[in-house]
Amino acid sequence: MTTGLHPGGQPQDPRPTGNQALPRQERVGHGAPHADNRTRSAVITARAAASFDPVGRSVATARSFVRDTLQGWGFADIVDDAVVLTSELVTNAVVHAGTSADVLCLRSDEGVRIEVADRYPEREIPLQATAVNMGSPDREGGRGLQLCAALAGRWGVDYSPTHKQVWFHLDLPDRPVGTRTAGPSLPADLLPLADGRVRVAVIQIDRVGAISAWNEDAEDLFGYAAEQVIGKPLTDLAAWPHTPGTSTGIVEALQLSRWEGTYGLRGASGRVTPVYASHLRVRDTGGEPSTVCLLVRDHERAVLQTPLRASATDTTTSSEGQATDPFEVFIGSPAPDDLDGLLQRTVERARDMLDGDSAFLLLATDDETELEVRASTGLPSARQRFARVPVEAGPGRYGSARMPAVHEDLTVVPGAVPLLAGTGMRSVVTVPLKVEGRLTGSLGVAAEGPSRYSNEEALRLQFAADRIALAVESARLGELERLRRGSLSFLVEASDLLAGTLDRDQTLALMAQMTVPTLATWCAVYTIADQASDPYLSYVLHEDEERIDGLKALLSKIAPPDPVPTPGARVWAAPGEAAHQAALRTSMRSLGLGEPASLTSGIGTTLATAAAVGGETVVLPLVARNRVIGMLTLGKPSDEHFRQEILELAEDLSRRAALALDNARLYSERTAISQSLQRSLLPPDLPHIDGVEVEVIYRAAGEGNEVGGDFYDLFPIRDGVYGFAIGDVCGTGPEAAAVTGLARHALRLLAREGFGGPAVLERLNSAILDEGARSRFLTLLYGELWPQEDGSAMLKVVCAGHPLPLRLRQDGTVEAAAEPQPLLGVMEDLELYEQTITLDPGDVLLCVTDGVTERREGTRMLGDDGLTDVLTTCTGLTAGAVAARIMRAVERFASDAPSDDMAILAMRVPGLQRD
């Protein structure tokens, strides 16, 4: 459906203007001829249009559109006739003709004109002389023109080859000046109860939904000064719907011409105040649309609402004597299409029907062992909403809900209706809601005075309950199906998010963010490191970020919940009690009352924090691999409770979160072990060598820095002789780590036993082959460093399959410092030899692993030539500067992160130091 509101001015005619349009007059009964179908002297003051798709539900939508439009214009006297005519004409278009329908409402000083057009593609153009056939009044369809003739002041039909439009005009009845509606005089004890001073908040909303006006009563009710809210969207403050009663959103409600209903507004203290609101859409002097909202506390709705109360005899027949649907008489039409809306309207109608002060409705839980409060009016909803009572337990034996019951004075029989304890209600009548003999709920109306109800009122209420029981049960089953689908969608999304990370801290944050505010107002996660450890408060989150610090301080001062592995949620009263005591101490200090030192040194929390945790708090164990690894704590603000469906969903979430948290713990432990092993495979410190500068840079690739891969070593063999090595084991993981550890320790041991380079590598090769299936290929550059007295250094090197070392001379030339030989771990009989080179003062020897030379960017590779080019620019630099320049060049060569480990060993002979 598409709609448009066009206040003021002459309307644009939506009818076709082609040359084929042949107007035809069909006039039945009273009224002006068709040629004068639109009074030329009348001024059109407002216009509303809507289009409806060719589906059955469009008829009900069209009725609602016309009803809302005319009520918004203040034409309640002709709403019923307009709705009936529109319903018949739209039915003819979308049901019988199977086309879309266009509805146009025009307001003038004389009345309202409504036009309904369809787009039937094969309609014949009737001739002027054709007799008018109104059809049989007993047919299911085709009564639209007959009703127009009977109800409308003027009506007519316009035809074109592809278009038919039926219009009708309804005149406004004469009204007595100064009076529109009036109610009977009532005794004082029957008047609605309100506070000592009734405050009506007047809020004006501009065309974009922002607050443009905020009166003093609004400041007093919600705690915001006008300058704090002017310009902010009303949706920032509205908790929609806090109490059931509407199936639309607040944005849609603000666009309607007139709307009444209940919702909640969040005040400056953070608490949600249930309000009853009346919205009126108006235009200012500049023609800009805006909405004026009148709001009172929900229990003072009688200030704004004037319900129509029908007598018992009006429940079966209309004023014309025609039979009417008892369901629509009780609920009204159209009925809400959501369960909360239906239940809320039910309790409101029940209260009004029996002139009660409050009403409530309970529904059976899935297992039908308890009754749960789902709607109430006139009761402190924050405390009573979603309360549960057993069906066949308790002193009042709620099993009596299976039969109508009247209690003349609850003070005489305390506990007869536990729900009303402490509410001030004295007389109550309750009736069951039954479907096919099963108890599905209970409906009750209560009053503050005694002896207000008798069996006659019980029968009236039972008759109404019988009319709505089936509709309530159908809506309840539909809600359960929606909740089930929503829960599955929520759990699937939660599982995906939790499976996407192995970081412990991020997992804790995800757990909290998924529960707040979807499942709870605040949450806290406790973790347990091991069986001998106490629970530790690891993460705290509140939907109001300003409350997090106070909440964390509160929870840190009380003992954590016991780590009980029993599945399911259990109530934890400690936070609420601690918050209450802290609030009490704060209030006493604010009054200047002295306290003992032991009390003043308690929890330093604010009253706002106390209100935030003053509701129900539950604890769910986090159990993974048959061990309690923590607890998930969920909380509500003051006087609020959890629904069972929410707790069941939280239990499912806690199981998934516990497994994800344990996986993150195992991964963190594995990463810590891997990093510790990696560090153990590298030398802790480099020795200082007189006359030689040495610098090493090592970069491990991959998340978690897996063990294995590249390694280096530099160690003293004997006085004046040092061994150095740089190598690369094929592969990663434990097998590669085993070869890495074997190589590094074997090199040191064999070298210190006096073996030369070839003998060291040949024995190492045999040791690698002895590993059998665990053996790995190994490329290795090994050498001995002999610093000389003349400032030079002699090196004896063996390059077993490793990238060749490069020598940088003082004149900038670069050359390979060794020849390639077979790698280790392949052949049993190796014949290796060592080569001797001398580094003159100023020369540099650069040794790298293949992670440096094989650095790639697309199809390009740095290679030996690229490394040589970079090294030629390092003349005159220290060993540290050379290694740093090589690493920068490698990192800048490609934008992606390195995919292989990299090790750089640079040695430079600076020469003799002269005085």
Side-chain angles (χ1 to χ4, degrees), residues 686-716:
L686 296 178
H688 175 73
I689 303 176
D690 293 333
V692 179
E693 297 175 356
V694 179
E695 182 66 25
V696 175
I697 296 180
Y698 182 85
R699 294 286 188 272
E703 184 178 359
N705 299 334
E706 291 188 347
V707 298
D710 299 354
F711 70 95
Y712 66 90
D713 201 0
L714 180 64
F715 57 91

Side-chain angles (χ1 to χ4, degrees), residues 281-512:
R281 188 93 164 146
V282 298
R283 286 187 300 135
D284 58 20
T285 55
E288 288 293 320
S290 63
T291 302
V292 177
C293 305
L294 305 180
L295 303 97
V296 296
R297 293 185 179 92
D298 187 57
H299 62 272
E300 297 173 341
R301 66 172 57 197
V303 176
L304 301 181
Q305 185 186 39
T306 307
L308 299 176
R309 302 181 179 181
S311 63
T313 58
D314 294 336
T315 59
T316 56
T317 58
S318 65
S319 58
E320 290 82 5
Q322 299 175 346
T324 57
D325 185 1
F327 175 82
E328 290 196 0
V329 170
F330 182 68
I331 294 298
S333 179
D337 57 0
D338 65 303
L339 177 61
D340 287 339
L342 177 61
L343 299 183
Q344 188 65 24
R345 188 176 292 187
T346 297
V347 296
E348 292 172 357
R349 294 292 190 269
R351 180 197 62 180
D352 296 341
M353 182 176 69
L354 299 186
D355 287 329
D357 296 312
S358 65
F360 54 90
L361 191 149
L362 299 90
L363 285 186
T365 55
D366 292 342
D367 55 7
E368 298 185 359
T369 61
E370 292 180 309
L371 294 175
E372 179 184 49
V373 178
R374 290 298 304 272
S376 65
T377 181
L379 295 176
S381 59
R383 183 169 66 86
Q384 303 295 341
R385 195 178 182 200
F386 303 136
R388 290 193 172 205
V389 292
V391 173
E392 294 287 354
R397 286 185 54 81
Y398 243 87
S400 63
R402 301 183 185 276
M403 295 292 293
V406 177
H407 299 277
E408 295 183 351
D409 194 344
L410 293 178
T411 59
V412 178
V413 190
V417 184
L419 175 66
L420 299 180
T423 62
M425 302 298 164
R426 296 187 62 180
S427 55
V428 61
V429 53
T430 61
V431 297
L433 297 177
K434 293 185 178 181
V435 175
E436 297 180 352
R438 293 185 303 105
L439 177 67
T440 62
S442 177
L443 176 63
V445 178
E448 294 182 345
S451 303
R452 285 281 302 276
Y453 303 116
S454 63
N455 290 337
E456 180 181 355
E457 282 79 9
L459 291 176
R460 290 178 59 193
L461 189 61
Q462 183 66 71
F463 178 79
D466 292 341
R467 302 285 77 76
I468 66 167
L470 185 59
V472 169
E473 178 67 5
S474 177
R476 185 181 74 90
L477 294 177
E479 181 193 64
L480 290 177
E481 178 64 17
R482 289 191 297 271
L483 286 175
R484 185 185 67 83
R485 294 183 178 180
S487 299
L488 290 176
S489 176
F490 173 79
L491 292 175
V492 168
E493 183 178 358
S495 299
D496 289 343
L497 290 173
L498 292 172
T501 178
L502 289 172
D503 182 81
R504 175 183 176 276
D505 294 337
Q506 188 174 2
T507 302
L508 291 172
L510 285 174
M511 290 171 56

Side-chain angles (χ1 to χ4, degrees), residues 652-716:
D652 286 338
L653 175 64
S654 67
R655 287 194 292 266
R656 290 165 170 79
L659 186 59
L661 185 61
D662 199 46
N663 289 338
R665 177 188 62 82
L666 294 175
Y667 180 78
S668 299
E669 293 177 355
R670 176 179 177 272
T671 301
I673 294 173
S674 175
Q675 292 174 343
S676 177
L677 180 57
Q678 179 75 59
R679 289 190 294 268
S680 70
L681 299 177
L682 301 175
D685 296 304
L686 296 178
H688 175 73
I689 303 176
D690 293 333
V692 179
E693 297 175 356
V694 179
E695 182 66 25
V696 175
I697 296 180
Y698 182 85
R699 294 286 188 272
E703 184 178 359
N705 299 334
E706 291 188 347
V707 298
D710 299 354
F711 70 95
Y712 66 90
D713 201 0
L714 180 64
F715 57 91

Side-chain angles (χ1 to χ4, degrees), residues 250 437 742:
I250 189 169
L742 173 64

Side-chain angles (χ1 to χ4, degrees), residues 28 92 116 138 149 176 286 302 423 433 527 534 572 659 734 767 860 871:
V28 179
N92 290 340
V116 179
D138 297 327
T423 62
L433 297 177
T527 57
D534 294 328
W572 186 32
L659 186 59
R860 297 186 307 118
L871 186 57

Side-chain angles (χ1 to χ4, degrees), residues 689 691-694 714 720-725 757 781-788 791-798 805-807 817-818 833-841 843-847 905-909:
I689 303 176
V692 179
E693 297 175 356
V694 179
L714 180 64
V721 182
Y722 297 87
F724 66 91
L781 173 66
Y782 173 76
E784 295 180 357
L785 174 63
W786 303 64
Q788 303 298 308
S792 63
M794 182 181 68
L795 292 88
K796 297 179 180 180
V797 298
V798 181
L806 300 179
R807 176 182 181 180
Y833 59 91
E834 65 181 5
Q835 298 173 270
T836 301
I837 60 175
T838 300
L839 295 181
D840 297 327
D843 290 354
V844 175
L845 183 70
L846 177 67
C847 309
L905 172 61
M907 293 182 290
R908 178 177 180 268
V909 180

Side-chain angles (χ1 to χ4, degrees), residues 87-233:
S87 178
E88 287 294 328
L89 297 178
V90 173
T91 300
N92 290 340
V94 303
V95 176
H96 301 297
T99 74
S100 60
D102 298 328
V103 179
L104 175 65
C105 300
L106 302 173
R107 181 183 70 182
S108 66
D109 297 336
E110 299 179 353
V112 173
R113 172 188 170 105
I114 297 179
E115 301 175 356
V116 179
D118 62 30
R119 299 186 180 91
Y120 193 71
E122 299 178 355
R123 187 177 304 281
E124 296 181 355
I125 303 176
L127 299 177
Q128 192 77 351
T130 304
V132 177
N133 181 14
M134 300 297 293
S136 171
D138 297 327
R139 291 192 310 163
E140 179 181 356
R143 298 191 299 264
L145 300 184
Q146 292 178 328
L147 291 174
C148 288
L151 301 178
R154 297 185 298 275
W155 67 277
V157 183
D158 294 335
Y159 278 106
S160 74
T162 59
H163 188 88
K164 187 190 79 171
Q165 175 179 280
V166 180
W167 62 270
F168 59 89
H169 183 92
L170 297 175
D171 296 323
L172 294 177
D174 294 333
R175 296 175 178 172
V177 177
T179 301
R180 293 191 59 182
T181 59
S185 59
L186 295 175
D189 58 347
L190 296 182
L191 296 176
L193 182 65
D195 290 344
R197 175 186 174 186
V198 177
R199 299 184 183 275
V200 180
V202 181
I203 305 173
Q204 191 159 0
I205 313 298
D206 61 20
R207 66 184 308 163
V208 297
I211 300 173
S212 58
W214 184 270
N215 72 339
E216 293 182 359
D217 280 357
E219 294 184 13
D220 186 80
L221 283 175
F222 308 118
Y224 294 107
E227 57 269 15
Q228 292 179 276
V229 295
I230 296 296
K232 292 185 177 180

